[in-house]
Amino acid sequence: SNSLHGEIIIHRNTSGTSVTLEEKLFYRRGVLAVAISKAQIEAGESSRVFIVSQKSTQDFLTEVSHD
């Protein structure tokens, strides 16, 4: 059976310019909702991306960098 699964991704901007995060970038099969704590992140800043999906349990914290 399917269950709800929550993920928090820490998205760190390691580039030299500002980056705009969009919810559509994080949608994939099974994703029901995406929320971004701060969509516009400057160089060196980070933002949390909250993803709710309908699938089995996975890791709850993933760290990614934007180069």
Side-chain angles (χ1 to χ4, degrees):
S1 76
N2 287 337
S3 61
L4 292 181
H5 168 74
E7 256 183 289
I8 302 171
I9 297 174
I10 307 299
H11 192 94
R12 185 167 293 117
N13 182 359
T14 59
S15 74
T17 61
S18 66
V19 172
T20 301
L21 301 178
E22 297 179 32
E23 286 87 353
K24 67 181 181 181
L25 299 173
F26 298 93
Y27 276 98
R28 59 190 180 273
R29 174 181 249 165
V31 170
L32 302 173
V34 175
I36 298 173
S37 65
K38 185 177 180 184
Q40 183 74 29
I41 52 176
E42 301 301 322
E45 291 184 336
S46 61
S47 178
R48 285 184 211 83
V49 180
F50 303 90
I51 300 172
V52 176
S53 57
Q54 196 169 34
K55 57 173 78 170
S56 60
T57 305
Q58 294 179 345
D59 293 333
F60 289 99
L61 179 63
T62 305
E63 186 167 324
V64 296
S65 294
H66 181 80
D67 292 318

